[in-house]
Amino acid sequence: MQTTTANKSVFDVKDLNLWYGSFHALINLNFSMYKNEVTAIIGPSGCGKSTFVKTLNLMVNMIPNVHMSGEINYNDKNILNKKIDLVELRKQIGMIFQKGNPFPQSIYDNVAYGPRIHGIKKKKQLDEIVEESLKDVALWDEVKDRLQSAALGLSGGQQQRLCIARALATKPEVVLMDEPTSALDPISTLKIEELITKLKEKYTIVIVTHNMQQAARISDKTAFFLNGEVVEFSDTNQLFSNPSDKRTEDYITGRFG
Amino acid sequence: MNSRVADRIATGVLIGLATIIVVLLVGLFSYILAKGIPNISWSFLTSPSSTVQAGGGIRDQLFNSFYILFITMLITVPLGVLGGIYMAEYAQPGKITHFIRSCIEMLASLPSIVVGMFGLLIFVNTIGWGYTIIGGALALTIFNIPVMVRVSEDAVRSVPSEQKEASLALGITHWHTIKTVLIPAAFPGILTGAILASGRVFGEAAALLFTAGLSTPKLNYMNWNPFSETSPLNIFRPAETLSVHIWEINTQGIIPDVEEVANGASAVLVLSVLLFNLLARWLGSTIHKKITASK
């Protein structure tokens, strides 16, 4: 498992284990995610990849009967420590879900939602944040004339980009994406992929994907999950061209999964 | 019998039952209106009721009905919505929650006359308010709370969990998420619950007989001081509502025009409920459109 990087690590996962009740869902995970890189998590359904990404912002705590052991060090601070401030953590770590989930409010209010509640009241400052966030996701030109109309009136791909803008508006450092294109058509998917490549200049991205071509296209590092374990973690090019584990090879050549 | 025949029979029976309901409703409604509307006049609506002579109106009763409705909803809606939020968002599944739920359901099935007797015991006698608007409103609150809690809980639960997750993932606290995402999204459901509860308040007589009383003091509608004896806004005065008035004149009225007054009052009651529902729905959808930015 060798990786090459000049960047500093944002997440260091050490001996992470997670149980749903008595089911051991994540087993002894050890790997790191680096600043301004895209880390892809691939693997068959039920292998724990969504669970893993939800541990990074502790959304996993919403599920009853979950317990964890080990460490997840975010900027050298263990977030599994009980004293962690969830509000602060989730402000820094944005999350995008499988299906675009805008609030039933206007486009503007969706993007301004996080900053407003986190204390930004000035209209001018909010306007700037909204514009900047929508430009970041290449949605500004499509919606600038109808910022006050309903977000739910947008197309699926636009809704997903709006959700990304909403997450960016709180100025996060990391953006977690849980199969962000699985409900989208190929053109919208392409737009999101282009967006991810651009976003990594400013943000660190962890993306769960079902689609191996997608992982190969957009990520710098890839972790292959199987039955709750990380089978292989390395540079994306290497993992796809020269996998070191037989199971990785079987998976990426389509022999199972 | 094959399934196609069974299907046809079932469809026929259901359509038949639906028709019966519609016919009953239309029949009742038009009967009440046909009998009542000829008795409604401007002076009927604006003059106080009389005790012996013919020609009394329903001014005070009409005002009392709306005022008690207003006070009741002022107490019921916040309590009911907060209770619903608690049940949907905070209550952990388990024995205690189960117990609370049983209590709410039991409260919902209490006969209103029992609630009235309870009000008589507590508000009228023990606390010693006598017959008051606030006593009536609290009695009505008791039996409207369960509906309000139930409806609010369902409305909050039916908000897609993705929206709650989206908000929490932005670092928004649970309470802020409830306030800014769940309640606005649940608003139409909560409004429907409030309208249903209002209908019950309008129509209720039994619970008010012993709490708000059968009489109304002489009111001066120019007096807006809520602490004054003759002010209509005073919540510590007795207040006979329209429903109670209809019951009262039919059972113990000695005016010669009992039937005319009762019919007119019934029509006014029905129309008020209808008007109130339409208004509440219009207001609700306006507010909802404003929050959701939908056209």
Side-chain angles (χ1 to χ4, degrees):
Chain A
M1 291 203 197
Q2 71 273 59
T3 55
T4 52
T5 187
N7 294 340
K8 137 180 193 318
S9 71
V10 175
F11 282 110
D12 283 309
V13 177
K14 281 189 191 143
D15 302 322
L16 178 67
N17 284 280
L18 180 143
W19 292 264
Y20 290 123
S22 61
F23 174 65
H24 203 169
L26 297 176
I27 305 162
N28 287 329
L29 306 187
N30 280 289
F31 69 108
S32 300
M33 282 142 272
Y34 299 91
K35 200 169 171 56
N36 299 101
E37 287 193 350
V38 177
T39 305
I41 315 279
I42 61 168
S45 301
C47 67
K49 50 191 195 309
S50 283
T51 301
F52 170 71
V53 83
K54 280 186 191 148
T55 61
L56 297 178
N57 62 350
L58 296 178
M59 285 297 279
V60 79
N61 289 353
M62 275 178 71
I63 305 165
N65 282 326
V66 159
H67 63 280
M68 292 184 270
S69 72
E71 292 175 21
I72 299 176
N73 293 301
Y74 169 62
N75 288 333
D76 303 321
K77 222 167 112 192
N78 184 8
I79 60 169
L80 297 188
N81 189 321
K82 291 263 183 294
K83 282 187 214 133
I84 197 79
D85 177 0
L86 272 185
V87 168
E88 197 47 42
L89 180 78
R90 289 178 183 163
K91 250 163 87 176
Q92 291 169 23
I93 305 176
M95 184 161 202
I96 312 299
F97 298 83
Q98 256 178 46
K99 224 174 135 263
N101 52 359
F103 302 127
Q105 298 165 356
S106 71
I107 294 170
Y108 184 96
D109 288 340
N110 261 278
V111 183
Y113 179 76
R116 250 185 206 145
I117 293 182
H118 292 310
I120 295 173
K121 298 272 180 267
K122 284 201 197 101
K123 172 98 174 60
K124 192 159 164 279
Q125 210 179 345
L126 281 172
D127 285 350
E128 279 168 16
I129 293 175
V130 169
E131 181 172 345
E132 191 192 341
S133 308
L134 287 171
K135 278 181 175 163
D136 270 352
V137 298
L139 196 57
W140 176 251
D141 288 331
E142 291 163 50
V143 301
K144 66 181 174 198
D145 299 323
R146 47 180 176 135
L147 290 175
Q148 296 309 328
S149 52
L152 292 174
L154 296 172
S155 74
Q158 287 174 324
Q159 287 191 13
Q160 189 59 296
R161 277 185 285 152
L162 178 69
C163 292
I164 299 176
R166 181 176 63 189
L168 298 183
T170 59
K171 312 266 178 223
E173 184 186 359
V174 182
V175 180
L176 309 175
M177 301 186 175
D178 187 0
E179 301 192 31
T181 61
S182 62
L184 298 180
D185 63 89
I187 294 173
S188 306
T189 301
L190 186 69
K191 278 193 184 156
I192 303 254
E193 288 185 9
E194 283 170 355
L195 182 61
I196 291 171
T197 316
K198 203 182 87 185
L199 288 177
K200 77 170 181 181
E201 291 164 18
K202 289 203 223 167
Y203 309 93
T204 303
I205 292 169
V206 181
I207 178 170
V208 170
T209 175
H210 232 91
N211 178 332
M212 283 177 279
Q213 285 78 19
Q214 182 170 68
R217 281 193 296 265
I218 61 173
S219 71
D220 300 289
K221 303 238 169 35
T222 299
F224 170 52
F225 275 54
L226 187 63
N227 299 330
E229 288 178 277
V230 176
V231 172
E232 188 162 351
F233 172 67
S234 63
D235 287 344
T236 299
N237 283 338
Q238 191 189 334
L239 186 132
F240 281 98
S241 61
N242 190 14
S244 59
D245 194 291
K246 178 76 171 55
R247 291 170 291 173
T248 314
E249 194 185 332
D250 286 350
Y251 183 71
I252 60 176
T253 53
R255 247 168 256 163
F256 72 93
Chain B
M1 185 165 53
N2 69 26
S3 59
R4 205 171 303 173
V5 176
D7 181 56
R8 234 174 270 149
I9 292 174
T11 311
V13 169
L14 288 175
I15 290 177
L17 288 175
T19 315
I20 292 173
I21 292 171
V22 171
V23 168
L24 261 177
L25 205 67
V26 171
L28 256 173
F29 209 71
S30 38
Y31 179 78
I32 293 172
L33 290 185
K35 294 276 276 188
I37 284 186
N39 299 311
I40 301 177
S41 64
W42 184 243
S43 76
F44 181 66
L45 294 176
T46 54
S47 53
S49 58
S50 97
T51 38
V52 275
Q53 286 160 317
I58 53 165
R59 178 190 72 186
D60 298 343
Q61 285 77 9
L62 190 58
F63 176 83
N64 290 341
S65 282
F66 276 100
Y67 195 46
I68 286 192
L69 172 72
F70 174 72
I71 303 282
T72 307
M73 294 323 265
L74 210 62
I75 311 170
T76 306
V77 171
L79 280 179
V81 170
L82 288 177
I85 290 170
Y86 171 78
M87 294 302 283
E89 285 293 312
Y90 290 94
Q92 302 290 333
K95 280 211 179 103
I96 297 176
T97 305
H98 188 74
F99 176 71
I100 296 176
R101 204 178 296 277
S102 310
C103 288
I104 293 174
E105 267 154 27
M106 220 121 78
L107 208 56
S109 55
L110 272 188
S112 55
I113 189 80
V114 175
V115 176
M117 297 309 284
F118 172 78
L120 176 69
L121 179 70
I122 300 295
F123 307 126
V124 179
N125 293 334
T126 309
I127 302 182
W129 283 337
Y131 293 135
T132 57
I133 288 183
I134 185 72
L138 287 172
L140 290 174
T141 300
I142 290 172
F143 86 158
N144 268 316
I145 280 261
V147 181
M148 212 53 229
V149 169
R150 192 51 189 266
V151 171
S152 309
E153 181 187 349
D154 287 348
V156 170
R157 272 190 204 282
S158 66
V159 178
S161 64
E162 289 88 11
Q163 287 184 7
K164 187 178 155 193
E165 281 176 13
S167 175
L168 292 174
L170 285 169
I172 313 295
T173 56
H174 193 186
W175 172 240
H176 250 104
T177 300
I178 290 170
K179 222 170 61 174
T180 52
V181 175
L182 296 184
I183 293 182
F187 180 76
I190 293 174
L191 180 76
T192 307
I195 291 176
L196 285 177
S198 316
R200 280 163 51 118
V201 173
F202 254 126
E204 185 52 45
L208 290 173
L209 293 178
F210 309 116
T211 50
L214 295 172
S215 62
T216 306
K218 215 172 158 46
L219 298 178
N220 171 10
Y221 283 86
M222 302 316 276
N223 182 353
W224 284 26
N225 174 6
F227 301 104
S228 158
E229 294 272 308
T230 59
S231 167
L233 298 181
N234 184 354
I235 57 171
F236 287 102
R237 65 173 174 86
E240 185 187 45
T241 66
L242 215 46
S243 309
V244 174
H245 187 58
I246 294 169
W247 175 84
E248 193 221 342
I249 55 172
N250 270 309
T251 49
Q252 41 191 279
I254 47 169
I255 42 175
D257 55 349
V258 164
E259 207 180 323
E260 284 80 9
V261 174
N263 288 342
S266 305
V268 169
L269 187 62
V270 169
L271 287 173
S272 303
V273 173
L274 193 72
L275 215 65
F276 178 82
N277 279 9
L278 291 177
L279 200 73
R281 269 175 218 283
W282 172 79
L283 190 72
S285 80
T286 309
I287 295 173
H288 186 65
K289 271 182 203 151
K290 206 167 154 51
I291 340 178
T292 59
S294 57
K295 290 273 143 50

